[in-house]
Amino acid sequence: MYMMEVDRVLRPGGYWVLSGPPINWKVNYKGWQRTKKDLEAEQNRIEEIADLLCWEKVSEKGEMAIWRKRVNTESCPSRQEESAVQMCESTNPDDVWYKKMKACVTPLPDVKDENDVAGGAIKPFPARLNAVPPRIANGLVPGVSSQAFQKDNKMWKKHVKSYSSVNKYLLTGRYRNIMDMNAQYGGFAAAIESPKSWVMNVVPTIAKMPTLGAVYERGLIGIYHDWCEAFSTYPRTYDLIHASGLFTLYKTKCSMEDVLLEMDRILRPEGAVIIRDDVDVLTKVNSLALGMRWDTKMVDHEDGPLVREKILYAVKQYWVGGKQTAVA
């Protein structure tokens, strides 16, 4: 079941690297304090499942073995036999939030030619960062065309340029760990792409479209999350947090205070926040942010004061709670 889940998240033509037990068990079984029989049976089972998944073993050296997933079903003769493997029945392989894992193989998209990559080939990085993701180009994200994606990409370059005119440190590398709380296609992350920074692109589970796959096809990293719950990370993880339309999205789902407090928890002292939203929503956010001792500044939309969407810039202050001793 676990290897089938690896197969689901692995891109066609991608690699799975297994390092450690049971690879090279004949040499290391004593150090691992396991029997030869046990380790041999485990490796045989892994090899058997890899064959079932139609992975090609490309290397085994020392304690490391590497398998490669086939680029499509046509290049996998054993997959043509329906009895050989149980295929998952779900029609949406992206619908996995809070779902139980099953011992089944997720079908690959159909191809016209045996040399085609299932789901579409991707360009090398960094060209793929601004190229239309294959799943959007192939119409697999409902309601999103290639033209709409390109328009969104252009818009975020404009937004980030405007951000940097207010927050002078944005593109300098000062903010190493960055989060986008409502990433959509990853346009914000693509616009600030730099070897000095990385962005965790969060796609809310209640978003209208499941766009996380498009984020990964751009060569970015991301995760699904429900912002009515705590984010799985340590306190003070991020240097900068970006949220566009997030509070409007969660307006009827959970309290604004809880979301802001979670942002405060994962933001380091003197870290920055950039929030885009409707002016009425941002006015409430600003009031709460001041109560958390954030320094804030609200500015107009890039297209002028008549646009209802505004931008709130904030900096978390470094302070310690508890009793203060007054000095005369």
Side-chain angles (χ1 to χ4, degrees):
M1 182 170 63
Y2 297 125
M3 290 180 68
M4 288 177 176
E5 176 64 2
V6 171
D7 185 77
R8 184 186 72 82
V9 302
L10 192 61
R11 191 183 310 283
Y15 296 87
W16 183 58
V17 181
L18 177 60
S19 177
I23 306 302
N24 203 19
W25 59 267
K26 293 180 180 179
V27 175
N28 296 315
Y29 73 94
K30 290 183 179 179
W32 292 335
Q33 297 182 349
R34 293 174 61 183
T35 65
K36 290 182 179 181
K37 184 178 180 181
D38 178 37
L39 287 163
E40 182 179 19
E42 184 176 294
Q43 176 149 357
N44 288 341
R45 181 58 176 156
I46 290 171
E47 301 276 5
E48 178 186 329
I49 298 170
D51 287 340
L52 188 69
L53 295 171
C54 217
W55 293 354
E56 176 190 4
K57 192 171 187 179
V58 295
S59 175
E60 181 175 335
K61 186 176 182 180
E63 286 76 50
M64 183 173 66
I66 303 174
W67 284 264
R68 186 171 187 256
K69 181 176 176 177
R70 303 279 182 165
V71 295
N72 57 49
T73 306
E74 300 298 321
S75 62
C76 179
S78 62
R79 189 69 62 84
Q80 308 301 323
E81 303 173 17
E82 295 184 2
S83 59
V85 62
Q86 181 180 349
M87 306 302 289
C88 297
E89 297 178 358
S90 173
T91 56
N92 183 8
D94 293 335
D95 183 22
V96 295
W97 181 256
Y98 277 143
K99 300 294 175 66
K100 290 185 177 180
M101 292 170 59
K102 295 181 179 179
C104 61
V105 177
T106 302
L108 289 173
D110 293 332
V111 295
K112 296 180 180 179
D113 186 87
E114 63 179 15
N115 296 318
D116 291 344
V117 178
I122 55 173
K123 295 183 178 181
F125 195 85
R128 64 192 277 195
L129 192 62
N130 293 297
V132 179
R135 65 182 60 211
I136 290 180
N138 295 330
L140 299 179
V141 180
V144 183
S145 64
S146 297
Q147 292 75 18
F149 171 83
Q150 290 168 339
K151 183 179 179 180
D152 179 85
N153 206 33
K154 184 177 180 181
M155 179 190 71
W156 277 110
K157 289 181 180 179
K158 175 183 175 181
H159 287 341
V160 168
K161 183 178 179 181
S162 177
Y163 289 167
S164 64
S165 69
V166 178
N167 185 334
K168 306 293 185 181
Y169 300 111
L170 180 61
L171 303 177
T172 65
R174 173 172 178 171
Y175 305 117
R176 173 64 177 172
N177 299 345
I178 301 175
M179 171 185 282
D180 190 356
M181 297 177 71
N182 187 17
Q184 199 172 20
Y185 318 120
F188 169 75
I192 65 169
E193 192 274 326
S194 166
K196 297 180 181 179
S197 304
W198 71 278
V199 181
M200 172 59 76
N201 293 278
V202 182
V203 176
T205 56
I206 64 171
K208 293 181 181 179
M209 297 169 288
T211 56
L212 186 61
V215 169
Y216 272 94
E217 286 180 341
R218 299 184 75 171
L220 301 169
I221 192 170
I223 191 172
Y224 283 121
H225 183 64
D226 181 356
W227 284 111
C228 291
E229 302 177 8
F231 190 79
S232 181
T233 192
Y234 296 100
R236 304 175 299 281
T237 300
Y238 290 93
D239 304 314
L240 184 144
I241 297 176
H242 176 258
S244 176
L246 184 81
F247 290 97
T248 292
L249 181 65
Y250 278 91
K251 197 171 183 178
T252 61
K253 302 299 181 181
C254 49
S255 76
M256 187 179 289
E257 293 93 331
D258 288 346
V259 177
L260 281 167
L261 286 170
E262 179 62 3
M263 291 172 67
D264 186 78
R265 183 185 73 85
I266 65 177
L267 183 67
R268 69 165 173 80
E270 300 181 350
V273 176
I274 303 175
I275 306 173
R276 302 183 71 93
D277 223 310
D278 181 81
V279 62
D280 292 340
V281 173
L282 275 193
T283 299
K284 295 177 182 177
V285 170
N286 187 46
S287 177
L288 293 167
L290 291 172
M292 297 192 303
R293 302 192 187 183
W294 289 4
D295 283 347
T296 66
K297 178 182 180 180
M298 192 182 302
V299 304
D300 289 326
H301 190 277
E302 294 88 349
D303 294 335
L306 297 181
V307 182
R308 285 193 59 85
E309 184 179 77
K310 308 294 181 184
I311 303 98
L312 181 68
Y313 296 88
V315 176
K316 176 180 175 178
Q317 295 304 297
Y318 186 85
W319 62 278
V320 181
K323 295 182 179 179
Q324 301 292 324
T325 302
V327 178

